[in-house]
Amino acid sequence: MSSELRPKCPAIAPSMLKCDFGDLQIEIKKLEAAGASLLHLDVMDGHFVPNLSYGPMVIERIRERTDLILDAHLMISAPEKYLDEYLRVGCDWITIHIEAVPKPVHLLEKIRDAGRLAGIAINPGTSVSAIAALKEKVDLVLVMSVEPGFGGQSFIPDSVEKVKEVRKMFGADTLVSIDGGIGPATIPEVARDVNIFVAGSSIFDKPDYETAIHEMTEIARSNSSPHN
Ligand code: DX5
Ligand code: ZN
């Protein structure tokens, strides 16, 4: 795994779903100034999830405006049809859902061959055994701690056991990310097993991004374990 693509962990990944899209450039600059090292980009197609967000055209414009790591979370059906576009526009990490692609090895290899990090995401209702065969094929496992599709939902408590299971199965070198309902109250529960904390509401609903990111990073760090 290229070290340039791996941020200092634990890291807070602002989910851009909740940013002000009318002022994207300013939002990016504010997040850079707030100390973010990556941006989490939620791509939704209105089919795999019951919501629509944005796609490669918007990511291309984000790429022109920042050198931060771009962490694309593809909540889309048939990602094989669109993968080339997400590679072309400069996503650094590309995560696909196991529920969308039951046999994802070829796609994961394609992402790695392009020099990017390959991620697999699992929904709350999917068991970790569904991704067991991918241990050597992924750089990142993203555990959904809410049903994908919308920001602002409550953390599902079963996710605590799930990240433990993922960490045990995938070992210390794989990045483990958690997404949904993450904030100062939920980070301590999962911090031993998680490297990347995706956070939407707990950053964008706050007046000061820097304080929010700093506070959550400190909470993650103080509850972390050496492998993070
Ligand atoms: C939900 C997305 C999340 C979402 C998180 O499907 O994957 O990244 O934006 O939002 P919060 O942090 O508000 O739960
Ligand atoms: Zn996400």
Side-chain angles (χ1 to χ4, degrees):
M1 192 185 303
S2 153
S3 58
E4 286 152 48
L5 290 184
R6 193 172 172 124
K8 187 165 180 262
C9 291
I12 307 298
S15 159
M16 302 301 281
L17 201 56
K18 281 220 141 187
C19 79
D20 176 357
F21 285 102
D23 245 330
L24 199 46
Q25 172 129 3
I26 289 184
E27 292 284 60
I28 293 167
K29 293 300 154 209
K30 276 167 72 178
L31 291 164
E32 286 178 343
S37 51
L38 70 166
L39 301 178
H40 181 87
L41 306 175
D42 286 303
V43 175
M44 302 181 179
D45 65 353
H47 184 263
F48 180 72
V49 289
N51 196 8
L52 267 177
S53 58
Y54 52 85
M57 284 189 289
V58 171
I59 297 177
E60 190 168 19
R61 299 294 169 234
I62 295 176
R63 178 76 293 166
E64 287 166 5
R65 287 162 173 77
T66 186
D67 291 328
L68 295 182
I69 293 166
L70 298 184
D71 162 24
H73 176 194
L74 303 189
M75 286 166 274
I76 61 175
S77 302
E80 65 279 3
K81 286 192 198 163
Y82 310 100
L83 185 57
D84 286 338
E85 271 297 281
Y86 290 96
L87 291 169
R88 183 187 67 78
V89 298
C91 299
D92 298 300
W93 302 0
I94 300 184
T95 296
I96 56 177
H97 269 263
I98 190 69
E99 300 84 4
V101 198
K103 293 201 169 118
V105 170
H106 174 69
L107 284 189
L108 295 166
E109 282 174 349
K110 191 167 172 177
I111 296 169
R112 277 186 165 175
D113 288 348
R116 322 297 167 82
L117 298 201
I120 195 78
I122 51 172
N123 280 343
T126 304
S127 83
V128 177
S129 60
I131 56 168
L134 304 176
K135 187 170 178 328
E136 305 302 327
K137 298 292 176 186
V138 294
D139 305 298
L140 170 90
V141 177
L142 184 154
V143 174
M144 284 306 305
S145 40
V146 298
E147 291 298 336
F150 299 92
Q153 304 180 72
S154 299
F155 181 83
I156 297 173
D158 287 355
S159 317
V160 175
E161 275 310 306
K162 206 162 191 182
V163 290
K164 271 188 201 153
E165 220 182 310
V166 168
R167 175 60 72 200
K168 205 167 162 204
M169 186 181 280
F170 284 81
D173 290 342
T174 302
L175 291 167
V176 177
S177 171
I178 191 154
D179 185 0
I182 290 298
T186 47
I187 290 172
E189 298 186 58
V190 291
R192 281 191 61 79
D193 301 294
V194 170
N195 314 98
I196 309 293
F197 299 83
V198 177
S201 313
S202 55
I203 295 174
F204 291 97
D205 290 353
K206 296 283 157 57
D208 178 3
Y209 301 167
E210 183 171 4
T211 306
I213 292 175
H214 181 74
E215 185 193 355
M216 288 193 279
T217 307
E218 284 309 308
I219 293 171
R221 209 173 272 154
S222 60
N223 288 278
S224 168
S225 70
H227 59 65
N228 290 350

